Amino acid sequence: MTDPLRPMGSKPRLYEQVLDRLRSYAAEGGLGAGDRLPTERDLAARLGVSRASVKQAIVVLEVQGLVEVRHGGGTYLLRDTLDAEPVEQLVDRRRRLPDVLDAREALETKLAELAAERRTDEDVAAMDSALAHMRAEITAGGHGVEGDRLFHAAVTAAGHSAILAEFMRSLTDRITESRHESLRQPGRPVRSLTQHRTIFDAIVAQQPGRAAAAMRRHVQTVARVRLLDWDPEDPEDPGAPGAPGAPGEKEPQGS
């Protein structure tokens, strides 16, 4: 049987090749959730690449919610497979996510303000129901995705602004992406539920300024995702910005 961690050739985006080898290694070794990958040092030695490319591959797996990196404790699988979306799709999502988050902050902050001014008893009941749904999802071990969607939809409805609601509908797919990206961050579902409750309380109390501020803080939290910290350029690609030997870059001195 071919060793999936055999040395590799050098090509641009070497970490994508590392990813392929890691997926094969996990599949052929029967690894599943809770199992630990070899150390970065061991992987680099066996694959014949630098630790930088191994680290980049691990970051991609972490961004996709497939592994957990425990500082000083190793890298562990969170699922029974390392199969996930192609890196190019991840790169595309990283490229458009900041614009989506900017739009969400602008629209949803205003909608929360309007909701505090215009909400009805039916709107309050819908938001309360959404919070209960999200709480139940999290208690059951989920991320609370559907409850999150229901809550933001209820706030939008409570704003009673047809034009803003239409803008939100036009962004549905992109907002869903940002929702999934945010809620799979460690500890994020519980934090989001708490922030939703703060928004809800301000809307119920009919305090527009407080509701807008709470929604702005919430969307800014949503914007803090591992994906945006990831640089998709291969650190071993000679043409990559910041890579040793890249145009306009100096070779690093020392070790």
Side-chain angles (χ1 to χ4, degrees):
M1 180 181 295
T2 303
D3 180 4
L5 298 185
R6 64 192 181 280
M8 301 170 54
S10 58
K11 292 182 180 180
R13 286 231 157 117
L14 195 54
Y15 70 86
E16 293 188 57
Q17 297 180 70
V18 175
L19 282 168
D20 288 339
R21 296 290 174 83
L22 290 178
R23 290 180 182 120
S24 297
Y25 173 75
E28 293 176 17
L31 301 185
D35 289 329
R36 181 178 177 177
L37 290 175
T39 65
E40 289 179 5
R41 185 185 300 276
D42 186 27
L43 288 171
R46 294 174 67 179
L47 290 166
V49 299
S50 74
R51 289 182 65 180
S53 281
V54 172
K55 184 181 293 291
Q56 181 78 317
I58 296 297
V59 168
V60 172
L61 294 174
E62 184 183 13
V63 164
Q64 298 188 40
L66 297 174
V67 302
E68 177 186 8
V69 178
R70 302 175 188 172
H71 296 292
T75 302
Y76 294 81
L77 274 67
L78 294 176
R79 303 185 194 173
D80 293 332
T81 177
L82 292 183
D83 292 336
E85 64 185 315
V87 169
E88 287 308 318
Q89 291 182 18
L90 198 64
V91 172
D92 287 342
R93 194 163 75 251
R94 183 187 184 278
R95 186 179 300 117
R96 62 178 171 260
L97 188 56
D99 287 342
V100 175
L101 293 168
D102 285 345
R104 285 195 65 178
E105 182 173 347
L107 293 171
E108 296 194 67
T109 296
K110 184 60 180 179
L111 282 164
E113 178 183 337
L114 293 175
E117 296 172 352
R118 303 172 178 178
R119 57 75 172 169
T120 65
D121 290 344
E122 290 77 13
D123 293 326
V124 170
M127 286 182 278
D128 193 40
S129 176
L131 290 175
H133 190 103
M134 187 175 184
R135 187 181 305 108
E137 286 182 285
I138 295 171
T139 300
H143 289 161
V145 172
E146 179 61 10
D148 185 282
R149 184 191 70 79
L150 290 170
F151 179 75
H152 284 277
V155 172
T156 295
H160 295 280
S161 170
I163 294 296
L164 291 181
E166 180 60 31
F167 286 157
M168 290 295 291
R169 281 191 292 273
S170 72
L171 292 171
T172 295
D173 291 344
R174 297 293 179 250
I175 289 174
T176 297
E177 276 188 349
S178 68
R179 175 174 293 118
H180 282 274
E181 199 69 51
S182 175
L183 289 174
R184 69 184 180 187
Q185 306 298 302
R188 183 64 58 78
V190 171
R191 185 174 185 183
S192 286
L193 179 59
T194 299
Q195 291 179 336
H196 287 173
R197 171 60 64 175
T198 301
I199 296 165
F200 173 74
D201 289 344
I203 291 173
V204 171
Q206 295 188 296
Q207 297 179 333
R210 180 181 155 206
M215 181 63 83
R216 180 174 291 106
R217 284 193 298 271
H218 173 58
V219 178
Q220 288 171 349
T221 296
V222 170
R224 292 194 286 272
V225 293
R226 189 72 175 88
L227 178 62
L228 294 180
D229 293 331
W230 170 57
D231 180 359
E233 295 298 337
D234 188 337
E236 289 193 353
D237 178 357
E249 299 289 340
K250 295 181 179 180
E251 290 285 347
Q253 302 297 314
S255 57

